[in-house]
């Protein structure tokens, strides 16, 4: 498995030297690529470390262009029109380690400018206009060089003396473009001392030329990459060379950019099994026909086989031929990615598969590996970016894989709609189900021996209580879901790492920290934290525990309440008094006792009882005066109350209000617009008349009332009467709650009344309605008799 890991890493960063040129976080980077520049800018920052001037129209490099950039470490000048570089162009750039001059118009490969930059580790001058590849003496001074890129867009010859200046340098990687090679001297590539060699093969040439190049290539390095294998015309030269390989030095071979038929494809690959090559990779292959053919598979087992971006240009091909070929190969670690695979057969007994990666294909879960009993050695199965839908079938697929430890089914369309008894293999330790469509039900269908579970980017709202089959779980990844509360570690007693970033919970539960006694790493960043007393313990987790908080403190901010929005949790503070009700009550009671003692002493020394008796007498006099005015007012009233309401609330008025006010033992006389408005008289005149003849005015408030223009007029005149007569005859009944934002700004009087005046609320609970009617009847206060009505009418 270690060989597989190293090989995959090599493919992803084949140019080892260039990895030294990638910017670090603290590097000063200037990116002027694709800026239509014709000269090097003169206003570059002196502290620049990484400079990208690629894809411009620069034609010459002058001595003064980079003289001020003493800290320059990496310079990219590729894809320009540079035909000349002054000899002393880089004499002030002693720290320069990476220089890319590929795909320009250089014709002189002696490169005298290299004399001043002996610190170079990465140097690429491929795809220029060199007429030969005879390296100048300046190359011999590059003692730190790790990567060298050579090549030309012109027809060239390659001889032993061309590369002698670097023959003493131990390099990590050499890339040579020989696409236009016309003549080659046998043994030239053997001059190189390199771990990895990349050759762009000649597009045309004799079998003898290709044979000499490949003969040296297969014996000059441990790792070999061959590009530009074009068999659209004929492939005999390549096939003959591969058949005659015999004992080669290389252990890792990568073939890239192939165009050939299925028969040619297999004719090149199959002979490799009889060599010393352990790792083989095929990248970017276009198959122009796939037909059935007899293939003699070798008994030798290949360590690693990788197929990436394999495409068929044929309109019709025989799928079993295509699918069965891969699964019958004798290999330990198999990767087939981004190749449009829709199916792969169950291998025969006796296979050697320990690792299978089928990333970015079109495989479904309907028949894939169902009831497959031959994958007894398989330890890792990767199914990323496919078309898997049925989670239950994913589990049943693994039940006969007795050695499977790692399963990756992320970035699919997996769903689980109902509880079911999933049939997993008992050996599974690591399961990646991120970026699917799974819900809370997933926790009812998981293998019992899991140690690592990744269900990020799904539709999980809660982790159900009582998940008792995950006792071995050490790492749980729940980020970017819809969690409304943190999972308690009582369900996962051995949990050490928990990722719950980017969810919807506001306050971690009070039991969270106590239940997670073994937790060593927590990522709870980017959640809408509500900074209240319940969050105090969590905000101090960094101080009170040894748990590593990922993203702390910048990614932990208060969202609620609004006045604390943006406050970092580390700066959030509430005192013990505010969060401890018992302590708060003790302080309040103690304050009240102290206040009572102070008031008692004040009354004693300032004779306060005398002032209180005087205020009481004044209040009684005022009350008698107001009572006399009210009795005179009653004599002019016809109705006990005028009721103002919206037509949409008339049902409640007729079914609830009128029966409880008019059908009692001492009924009230109620004035309604539909009963007492006089026909032919103006509406406003009727409103004023009814309000003046009523002792009280009752307003039934609701959202419907706010929408009624006439209800507003009635309220306006009733309030005007209150002010003119200095009476208190308004009764507000809130039938339905009215949020302040629903009341139009022009109804400022209603807003003012609801803010200042006490109102009655209609209770939905029937047990409270009796008290409501008693309160309303008491508020009306008196009864207007029928005789009084006749007299005043």
């Amino acid at each position: 498995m270690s060989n597989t890991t190293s090989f995959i890493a090599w493919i992803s960063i084949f140019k080892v030297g260039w990895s030294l040129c990638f910017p670090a976080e603290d590097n000063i980077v200037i990116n002027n690529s694709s800026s239509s520049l014709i000269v090097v800018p003169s206003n570059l920052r002196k502290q620049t470390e990484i400079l990208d001037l690629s894809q411009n129209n620069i034609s010459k490099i002058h001595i003064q262009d980079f003289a001020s950039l003493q800290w320059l470490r990496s310079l990219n000048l590729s894809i320009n029109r540079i035909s000349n570089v002054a000899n002393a162009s880089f004499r002030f750039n002693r720290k320069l380690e990476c220089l890319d001059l590929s795909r320009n118009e250089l014709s002189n490969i002696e490169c005298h400018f290299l004399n001043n930059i002996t610190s170079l580790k990465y140097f690429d001058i491929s795809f220029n206009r060199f007429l030969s590849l005879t390296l100048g003496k300046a190359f011999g001074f590059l003692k730190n060089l790790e990567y060298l890129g050579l090549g030309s867009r012109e027809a060239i010859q390659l001889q032993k003396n061309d590369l002698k200046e670097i023959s003493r340098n131990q390099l990590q990687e050499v890339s040579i473009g020989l696409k236009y090679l016309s003549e080659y001297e046998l043994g030239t590539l053997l001059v190189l001392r390199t771990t990895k060699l990349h050759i762009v093969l000649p597009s045309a040439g004799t079998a003898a030329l290709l044979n000499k190049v490949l003969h040296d290539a297969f014996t000059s390095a441990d790792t070999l990459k061959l590009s530009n294998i074009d068999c659209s015309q004929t492939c005999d030269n390549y096939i003959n060379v591969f058949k005659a390989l015999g004992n080669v030095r290389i252990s890792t071979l990568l073939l890239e950019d192939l165009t050939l038929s299925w028969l040619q494809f297999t004719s090149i690959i199959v002979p490799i099994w009889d060599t010393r090559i352990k790792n083989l990779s095929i990248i970017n292959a276009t198959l122009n026909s796939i037909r059935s053919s007899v293939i003699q598979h070798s008994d030798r087992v290949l360590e690693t086989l990788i197929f990436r971006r394999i495409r068929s240009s044929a309109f019709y091909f025989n799928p079993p031929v295509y699918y069965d070929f891969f699964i019958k190969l004798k290999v330990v670690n198999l990767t087939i990615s981004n190749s449009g695979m829709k199916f792969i057969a169950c291998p025969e007994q006796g296979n050697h598969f320990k690792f299978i990666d089928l990333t970015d294909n079109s495989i479904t879960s309907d028949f894939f590996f169902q009831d497959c009993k031959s994958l007894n050695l398989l330890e890792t199965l990767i199914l990323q970016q496919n078309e898997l839908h049925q989670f239950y079938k994913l589990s049943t697929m693994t039940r006969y894989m007795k050695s499977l430890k790692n399963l990756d089914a992320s970035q699919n369309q997996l769903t689980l709609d109902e509880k079911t008894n999933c049939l997993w293999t008992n050996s599974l330790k690591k399961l990646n189900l991120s970026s699917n469509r799974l819900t809370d039900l997933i926790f009812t269908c998981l293998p019992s021996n899991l140690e690592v579970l990744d269900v990020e980017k799904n539709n999980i709202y809660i982790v159900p209580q009582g998940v008792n089959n995950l006792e071995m779980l050490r790492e749980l990844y729940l980020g970017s879901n819809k969690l409304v509360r943190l999972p308690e570690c009582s369900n996962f007693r051995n949990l050490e790492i928990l990722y719950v970033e980017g969810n919807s919970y506001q306050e971690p539960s009070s039991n969270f920290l106590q239940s997670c006694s073994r937790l060593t790493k927590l990522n709870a960043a980017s959640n809408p934290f509500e900074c209240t007393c319940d969050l105090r313990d969590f905000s101090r987790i960094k101080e009170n525990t040894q748990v590593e908080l990922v993203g702390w403190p910048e990614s932990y901010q208060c969202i609620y309440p609004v006045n604390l929005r943006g406050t970092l949790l580390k700066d959030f503070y509430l005192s013990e008094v505010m969060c401890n009700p018992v302590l708060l009550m003790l302080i309040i009671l103690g304050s009240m006792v102290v206040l009572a003692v102070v008031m008692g002493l004040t009354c004693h020394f300032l004779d306060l009882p005398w002032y209180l008796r005087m205020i009481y007498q004044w209040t009684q006099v005022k009350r008698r005066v107001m009572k006399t005015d009210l009795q005179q007012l009653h004599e002019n009233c016809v109705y006990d109350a005028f009721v103002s309401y919206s037509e949409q609330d008339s049902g409640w008025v007729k079914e609830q209000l009128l029966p409880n006010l008019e059908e009692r033992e001492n009924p009230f006389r109620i004035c309604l617009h539909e009963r007492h408005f006089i026909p032919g008289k103006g509406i406003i005149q009727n409103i004023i008349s009814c309000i003046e003849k009523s002792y009280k005015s009752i307003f039934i408030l609701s959202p419907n009332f706010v929408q009624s223009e006439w209800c507003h007029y009635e309220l306006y005149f009733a309030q005007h009467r209150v002010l003119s007569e200095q009476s208190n005859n308004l009764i507000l009944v809130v039938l339905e709650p009215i949020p302040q934002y629903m009341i139009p700004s022009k109804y400022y009087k209603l807003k003012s009344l609801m803010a200042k005046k006490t109102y009655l609320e209609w209770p939905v609970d029937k047990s409270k309605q009796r008290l409501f009617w008693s309160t309303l009847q008491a508020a009306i206060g008196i009864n207007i008799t029928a005789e009084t009505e006749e007299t005043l009418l």
Side-chain angles (χ1 to χ4, degrees):
M1 188 61 67
S2 60
N3 292 334
T4 304
T5 305
S6 61
F7 181 55
I8 294 174
W10 168 72
I11 291 175
S12 62
I13 51 170
F14 188 85
K15 296 181 178 180
V16 173
W18 183 244
S19 64
L20 300 171
C21 308
F22 291 153
E25 292 183 0
D26 55 348
N27 285 144
I28 298 177
V29 180
I30 302 297
N31 185 1
N32 284 330
S33 62
S34 302
S35 301
S36 301
L37 299 174
I38 59 175
V39 296
V40 176
S42 59
N43 57 347
L44 296 171
R45 293 177 59 184
K46 294 182 178 180
Q47 296 81 12
T48 300
E49 297 175 84
I50 312 291
L51 177 59
D52 189 350
L53 296 173
S54 62
Q55 302 183 59
N56 285 289
N57 297 311
I58 301 171
S59 59
K60 293 184 178 180
I61 302 299
H62 303 91
I63 295 176
Q64 72 276 9
D65 284 344
F66 306 108
S68 63
L69 307 181
Q70 298 182 15
W71 299 97
L72 188 63
R73 192 172 67 85
S74 175
L75 176 60
N76 187 356
L77 291 166
S78 64
I79 317 178
N80 276 279
R81 298 181 179 179
I82 300 172
S83 60
N84 182 49
V85 180
N87 291 344
S89 295
F90 305 108
R91 62 177 177 176
F92 297 107
N93 310 116
R94 301 294 182 181
K95 297 182 180 294
L96 190 62
E97 297 179 348
C98 305
L99 178 59
D100 192 342
L101 283 164
S102 63
R103 300 181 185 276
N104 278 284
E105 304 295 327
L106 295 173
S107 58
N108 185 357
I109 200 171
E110 291 188 1
C111 300
H112 295 295
F113 57 84
L114 294 176
N115 291 321
N116 299 304
I117 45 175
T118 57
S119 59
L120 272 185
K121 295 182 179 179
Y122 178 100
F123 184 43
D124 191 350
I125 50 173
S126 59
F127 293 97
N128 275 278
R129 295 288 185 182
F130 304 126
L131 299 178
S132 73
L133 294 182
T134 305
L135 303 182
K137 293 184 178 181
F139 283 85
F141 297 104
L142 302 179
K143 302 302 182 182
N144 297 314
L145 194 64
E146 296 182 17
Y147 173 87
L148 176 62
L150 301 172
S152 175
R153 302 199 299 275
E154 302 291 340
I156 57 172
Q157 300 178 357
L158 193 60
Q159 300 176 344
K160 290 182 180 179
N161 289 335
D162 292 342
L163 305 177
K164 68 177 182 178
E165 294 298 334
I166 59 170
S167 61
R168 293 184 297 273
N169 294 12
Q170 178 60 53
L171 304 175
Q172 289 294 317
E173 180 182 345
V174 176
S175 176
I176 305 181
L178 302 179
K179 189 174 184 179
Y180 303 100
L181 183 69
S182 61
E183 187 175 334
Y184 178 81
E185 181 181 358
L186 189 65
T188 300
L189 292 177
L190 299 179
V191 172
L192 298 172
R193 300 173 59 192
T194 180
T195 304
K196 300 171 184 176
L197 177 62
H198 174 205
I199 299 177
V200 179
L201 294 173
S203 297
T206 64
L209 175 65
L210 185 62
N211 187 42
K212 287 190 289 185
V213 172
L214 291 178
H215 177 274
D216 285 353
F218 277 101
T219 56
S220 60
D222 294 327
T223 299
L224 176 63
K225 177 181 178 181
L226 300 176
S227 301
N228 189 39
I229 301 177
D230 188 355
C231 297
S232 55
Q233 300 298 325
T234 180
C235 205
D236 293 341
N237 293 342
Y238 295 106
I239 294 174
N240 293 333
V241 169
F242 277 92
K243 285 183 178 180
L245 283 178
N247 291 326
V248 296
R249 172 186 169 185
I250 65 170
S251 60
T252 299
L253 175 63
L254 190 151
L255 305 178
E256 185 178 54
D257 300 330
L258 300 87
T259 303
L260 65 180
S261 68
W262 177 255
L263 180 59
Q264 295 166 341
F265 179 75
T266 56
S267 298
I268 288 178
I269 293 178
V270 172
I272 295 175
W273 258 256
D274 294 323
T275 68
R276 296 174 57 186
I277 295 173
K278 297 180 180 179
N279 305 306
L280 173 63
S281 181
I282 313 293
I283 309 294
N284 289 337
T286 300
L287 306 178
N288 49 40
S289 66
I290 300 179
R291 297 179 181 178
S292 179
S293 59
V294 178
I295 301 174
Q296 297 295 331
H297 292 278
S298 172
D299 292 332
R300 182 173 174 269
V301 179
L302 207 64
E303 184 70 25
T304 302
L305 178 60
I306 295 179
F307 296 98
R308 183 168 290 127
R309 295 189 294 277
I310 309 297
R311 295 288 184 267
S312 173
S313 60
F315 178 75
Y316 172 79
F317 66 93
N318 189 357
V321 173
Y322 184 59
Y323 299 147
D324 293 348
F325 169 79
F326 297 108
I327 208 65
K328 289 181 179 180
L329 295 174
K330 291 181 173 58
V331 62
V332 177
N333 306 294
L334 174 65
T335 294
I336 308 175
S337 67
N338 194 9
S339 300
M341 295 286 289
K342 296 181 179 297
F343 178 76
I344 189 167
C346 178
E348 298 176 354
Q349 290 287 350
N351 65 82
H352 300 82
F353 291 117
K354 291 185 178 181
F355 176 96
I356 296 180
D357 183 355
L358 300 173
T359 297
D360 196 10
N361 286 287
S362 302
I363 297 172
T364 67
S365 57
D366 293 336
F367 305 104
F368 176 63
F369 281 169
Q370 293 295 322
D371 298 322
C372 184
K373 301 180 181 179
S374 60
L375 293 170
N376 298 321
L377 302 177
L378 188 64
E379 297 178 0
T380 299
L381 177 59
I382 301 176
L383 301 172
Q384 287 183 16
Q385 293 179 261
N386 279 278
E387 298 179 6
L388 305 178
H389 290 84
Q390 302 180 53
F391 183 73
Y392 171 72
K393 288 193 174 181
L394 178 69
S395 69
T396 58
M397 176 193 70
T398 69
R399 57 180 171 171
Y400 298 117
M401 300 177 183
K402 304 301 182 182
S403 302
L404 187 65
K405 297 178 181 179
N406 181 9
L407 174 61
D408 187 344
S410 60
Q411 302 181 60
N412 281 278
Q413 305 294 323
L414 291 171
T415 59
L416 180 65
D417 298 327
E418 59 183 12
K419 290 184 178 181
T420 184
N421 184 22
C422 296
L423 304 175
W424 294 95
T425 176
N426 292 327
S427 61
L428 194 60
K429 301 295 183 183
K430 184 176 181 179
L431 179 59
N432 188 346
L433 299 171
S434 61
S435 299
N436 280 284
R437 297 180 178 179
L438 299 168
T439 63
D440 309 346
L441 287 175
I442 184 62
F443 290 96
T444 66
C445 188
L446 291 173
S448 57
N449 294 323
L450 271 186
E451 295 181 3
V452 179
L453 174 62
D454 188 344
V455 285
E456 291 189 340
K457 297 181 181 179
N458 280 280
N459 297 316
I460 299 173
Y461 284 84
I462 60 171
V463 177
Q465 295 289 336
V467 180
N468 54 10
N469 64 334
L470 296 174
E471 297 290 331
M472 305 299 294
L473 195 66
R474 295 185 293 104
E475 300 180 22
L476 177 58
Y477 299 90
L478 285 162
S480 301
N481 276 281
K482 301 175 182 178
L483 290 177
V484 295
R485 66 170 182 260
L486 281 179
E488 294 185 9
C489 296
S490 56
N491 296 326
F492 322 106
R493 298 179 181 177
N494 294 298
L495 194 65
E496 298 175 3
I497 299 176
L498 176 62
Y499 275 57
V500 285
E501 75 282 3
N503 279 281
S504 302
Y505 58 86
Q506 298 177 343
E507 298 175 352
S509 65
S510 57
N511 298 327
F512 170 71
L513 295 176
Q514 299 176 358
S515 64
C516 299
S517 58
R518 298 192 178 183
L519 198 65
T520 59
K521 189 174 185 179
L522 172 65
N523 186 352
S526 304
N527 279 284
F529 291 111
E530 183 174 353
C531 291
T532 60
C533 292
D534 294 333
L535 197 69
R536 279 203 319 157
D537 291 341
F538 182 81
S539 65
R540 297 173 182 172
I541 186 173
K542 191 69 175 177
E543 304 171 5
N544 300 335
T545 68
Q546 298 298 319
V547 175
E548 176 188 351
L549 270 183
V550 179
W552 182 271
E554 61 276 359
S555 298
Y556 295 76
Q557 299 182 5
C558 300
I559 300 299
Y560 308 103
V562 177
N563 62 310
L564 292 177
R565 180 168 295 176
T567 302
L568 297 179
L569 259 60
K570 73 179 184 66
D571 300 326
F572 163 64
Y573 173 77
L574 288 176
S575 65
E576 185 67 26
V577 174
M578 297 179 66
C579 297
N580 190 331
V582 175
L583 180 59
L584 182 61
M585 288 300 298
L586 290 175
I587 293 175
I588 293 175
L589 290 175
S591 300
M592 292 177 64
V593 171
V594 173
L595 181 61
V597 173
V598 172
M599 290 182 64
L601 295 174
T602 302
C603 291
H604 177 74
F605 289 108
L606 300 180
D607 204 7
L608 189 60
W610 182 85
Y611 287 101
L612 294 174
R613 287 195 299 271
M614 292 300 294
I615 292 173
Y616 174 77
Q617 294 296 331
W618 179 85
T619 303
Q620 291 298 314
V621 171
K622 187 68 177 177
R623 180 174 177 273
R624 286 194 294 269
V625 172
M626 291 180 65
K627 185 175 181 180
T628 301
D629 293 340
L630 287 175
Q631 289 175 349
Q632 293 175 358
L633 178 63
H634 293 175
E635 293 175 359
N636 297 323
C637 292
V638 178
Y639 308 104
D640 293 300
F642 168 73
V643 179
S644 175
Y645 60 93
S646 170
E647 191 62 30
Q648 282 79 3
D649 299 327
S650 60
W652 182 85
V653 172
K654 295 176 181 179
E655 297 173 7
Q656 297 286 346
L657 182 68
L658 294 181
N660 282 279
L661 296 182
E662 292 184 337
E663 297 177 6
R664 59 196 292 270
E665 183 177 354
N666 295 312
F668 291 108
R669 298 191 64 80
I670 302 302
C671 177
L672 301 177
H673 67 272
E674 60 188 56
R675 294 193 313 201
H676 298 98
F677 276 20
I678 299 175
K681 201 172 185 179
I683 295 179
I684 293 179
Q685 292 177 335
N686 272 313
I687 292 174
I688 295 173
S689 175
C690 287
I691 290 176
E692 289 179 347
K693 293 178 181 179
S694 300
Y695 172 47
K696 297 282 186 177
S697 294
I698 303 175
F699 290 85
I700 310 303
L701 303 181
S702 70
N704 298 321
F705 184 95
V706 173
Q707 303 301 322
S708 173
E709 193 73 18
W710 293 114
C711 289
H712 183 249
Y713 279 121
E714 292 168 353
L715 180 64
Y716 174 84
F717 291 120
Q719 189 183 29
H720 184 269
R721 179 188 176 193
V722 170
L723 296 174
S724 62
E725 297 179 359
Q726 296 184 358
S727 61
N728 189 21
N729 62 354
L730 287 183
I731 301 176
L732 303 181
V733 176
V734 177
L735 184 60
E736 296 177 19
I738 309 175
Q740 286 291 318
Y741 69 85
M742 289 186 60
I743 304 176
S745 58
K746 64 181 181 179
Y747 292 170
Y748 63 92
K749 293 183 179 295
L750 178 57
K751 286 186 177 182
S752 177
L753 281 173
M754 293 189 70
K756 297 178 180 180
K757 188 173 181 65
T758 303
Y759 50 83
L760 299 176
E761 290 185 279
W762 168 248
V764 179
D765 188 354
K766 291 185 178 181
S767 62
K768 299 179 180 180
Q769 292 177 5
R770 184 174 180 181
L771 178 60
F772 169 85
W773 293 120
S774 298
T775 306
L776 179 58
Q777 291 166 5
I780 297 175
I782 67 167
N783 292 92
I784 303 299
T785 62
E787 292 78 8
T788 304
E789 178 183 2
E790 293 173 359
T791 302
L792 293 175
L793 289 176

